Amino acid sequence: MTVLIDAIEPFIVDLPTIRPHRLSMTTMAYQTMVIVRVRCSDGLEGIGEATTIGGLSYGAESPEAIHSAIENYLAPLLVGQPADNPNRLRSRMQRYVRANSFAKSALETALLDAQGQRLGVPVSSLLGGAQNERLAVLWTLASGNAVTDIAEAERLLADDRHRQFKLKIGGREVRDDVEHVISIQQGLPDGVSLRVDVNQAWSESQAKPAIAVLQNAGIDLIEQPTPGRQMHALTRLSQRFEIALMADEAVADTFDGMRLWRSGFSGAIALKIAKAGGPIGALELAHAVEAVGLDLYGGTMLEGTIGTAAAVHAWSTLRECRWGTEMFGPLLLTEDIVTESLHYCAGGVTVPDAPGLGVSIDEDKLDYFRRDGGPRRTTSIGSELKGRRHAV
């Protein structure tokens, strides 16, 4: 018998972080994520996650908007549909709902999770098969204080948890940011890789002298120094300097990646499953830009374990992520809603090999941290929507 999607339930969770996480556009004191459950007629349940950085401070989708898009638009498209073909369901979402890539990513992840469990294989196998059992993972230093950041890096190096670091800058005057980076670089041991993420905070004229100083100081890479929409500014900077530049906010999907490459950009692309609408779209982008010679980096929206596991499965199928990955999101949390964490050690993370994502929800923690509070609801969105599904 055909396995159908019986119900879809999204909910918002707020989780505390180990410290404030300072970016150019906001400072995060906690992490908010949308978790989605997809229940199928064969009794299996897939889970997915959509997480933003600082709500609308970073991008166009807030947690509340993601929840609404799933509940009111995407769930009616999927409930009652065959559950065993995530690719066809992905196409259905793309056809009838514009944009909303974060919401689609959460659902695509849940569909892949359920199908992996159904077939008894990890999600990486559904995406082509893992080529790597472990992925290098850097740590982002984002307290905003040089002494604190250096001490944090030294602890992580001593524990052999991370060997590469990235600094979040862009919230101060350009000169102050550059001095902050150099002071931290000088405080770290020789041979430690240090990159910076400007988060679109500089104009092209500001970026030129700043990049020159950072290049001379031995910084390895600079991520998105200029606004994402100013594609040609990023391209000109990549052609002007030897230091590697990375596009993040400038690239969401394959169309963006090819447009940036055709403009003459040479550097790296930050992959994010949320920006691309899910793991499948992120890998389409990866394969396209890799084919034309651009380097890859496994990026993050600081997801918890569910979203991080989905990205780890995707990045494990790539031949090489030249600049490693940033899949440390769960380590930034003091609490999570899963029964077992991912395994981090020796500067990297192990790719789960259990069926599906290889992670499951801790019901007690979910009940405690979900935003609506109280006992978990037993009614499902799927049952409410079956009678009023959109005619599509």
Side-chain angles (χ1 to χ4, degrees):
M1 295 179 62
T2 302
V3 178
L4 303 178
I5 297 174
D6 273 351
I8 293 175
E9 180 186 18
F11 37 87
I12 299 176
V13 173
D14 296 304
L15 296 179
T17 56
I18 60 174
R19 55 157 166 78
H21 195 74
R22 183 175 179 178
L23 301 92
S24 68
M25 76 291 290
T26 189
T27 298
M28 294 168 45
Y30 58 92
Q31 182 58 295
T32 298
M33 53 191 68
V34 180
I35 306 299
V36 63
R37 308 176 97 141
V38 174
R39 296 190 177 96
C40 305
S41 61
D42 58 357
L44 292 176
E45 174 185 279
I47 54 176
E49 174 188 341
T51 296
T52 66
I53 298 176
L56 291 177
S57 298
Y58 181 87
E61 291 181 67
S62 67
E64 296 78 12
I66 293 168
H67 184 281
S68 177
I70 293 173
E71 183 175 41
N72 295 303
Y73 294 92
L74 292 165
L77 283 173
L78 300 182
V79 171
Q81 296 293 313
D84 58 357
N85 192 330
N87 200 41
R88 180 176 293 171
L89 294 168
R90 172 178 179 260
S91 296
R92 183 173 176 81
M93 289 191 287
Q94 297 286 20
R95 180 179 179 184
Y96 292 111
V97 175
R98 305 300 179 193
N100 290 281
S101 64
F102 284 66
K104 292 175 181 176
S105 179
L107 284 165
E108 182 180 300
T109 295
L111 294 167
L112 289 168
D113 180 33
Q115 182 67 357
Q117 295 176 57
R118 189 169 293 117
L119 299 178
V121 299
V123 165
S124 58
S125 294
L126 301 179
L127 299 173
Q131 299 195 64
N132 302 282
E133 296 178 354
R134 287 181 54 77
L135 301 175
V137 177
L138 62 70
W139 179 257
T140 293
L141 303 169
S143 74
N145 181 277
V147 174
T148 301
D149 284 347
I150 291 171
E152 185 172 278
E154 288 175 339
R155 288 195 302 271
L156 295 171
L157 286 167
D159 293 341
D160 197 25
R161 204 181 77 180
H162 299 281
R163 301 166 184 171
Q164 304 168 341
F165 299 92
K166 184 170 81 171
L167 280 175
K168 289 284 190 179
I169 61 173
R172 306 179 243 207
E173 294 295 324
V174 177
R175 178 177 296 180
D176 294 337
D177 265 337
V178 171
E179 291 177 353
H180 175 67
V181 172
I182 293 175
S183 66
I184 292 176
Q185 193 240 15
Q186 292 175 343
L188 296 179
D190 292 340
V192 174
S193 176
L194 185 63
R195 303 94 179 266
V196 300
D197 184 1
V198 189
N199 277 128
Q200 313 179 77
W202 296 342
S203 67
E204 184 176 2
S205 61
Q206 289 174 317
K208 288 177 182 177
I211 292 174
V213 174
L214 295 174
Q215 177 174 277
N216 292 336
I219 301 303
D220 288 336
L221 175 142
I222 299 175
E223 182 176 346
Q224 200 66 56
T226 50
R229 289 187 175 183
Q230 297 177 11
M231 175 184 64
H232 293 289
L234 185 62
T235 294
R236 286 190 293 268
L237 291 171
S238 76
Q239 295 170 344
R240 182 186 182 97
F241 296 100
E242 292 182 6
I243 188 173
L245 298 188
M246 182 157 68
D248 179 6
E249 289 84 0
V251 177
D253 54 23
T254 305
F255 176 83
D256 293 336
M258 290 295 92
R259 183 177 59 171
L260 187 62
W261 170 70
R262 284 194 297 269
S263 77
F265 175 76
S266 61
I269 301 294
L271 308 167
K272 294 182 179 178
I273 62 172
K275 291 193 304 181
I280 297 173
L283 290 177
E284 288 177 348
L285 167 62
H287 297 149
V289 298
E290 185 181 42
V292 295
L294 300 182
D295 294 327
L296 302 178
Y297 175 74
T300 182
M301 293 301 299
L302 299 180
E303 292 97 344
T305 299
I306 297 169
T308 298
V312 166
H313 279 288
W315 310 155
S316 75
T317 69
L318 298 170
R319 180 178 56 83
E320 179 187 28
C321 280
R322 166 75 172 79
W323 291 100
T325 78
E326 195 174 341
M327 310 316 301
F328 68 87
L331 300 175
L332 193 62
L333 304 173
T334 60
E335 299 283 351
D336 207 339
I337 56 167
V338 295
T339 57
E340 187 174 349
S341 301
L342 297 173
H343 181 59
Y344 292 88
C345 68
V349 62
T350 301
V351 181
D353 59 4
L357 289 176
V359 298
S360 57
I361 289 178
D362 183 313
E363 301 294 344
D364 290 336
K365 289 185 178 179
L366 173 62
D367 285 347
Y368 184 82
F369 287 107
R370 61 186 297 172
R371 185 174 289 182
D372 55 13
R376 183 166 61 86
R377 292 171 296 174
T378 57
T379 58
S380 70
I381 289 170
S383 61
E384 298 168 4
L385 292 171
K386 278 185 178 179
R388 56 183 177 91
R389 282 166 50 200
H390 295 182
V392 293

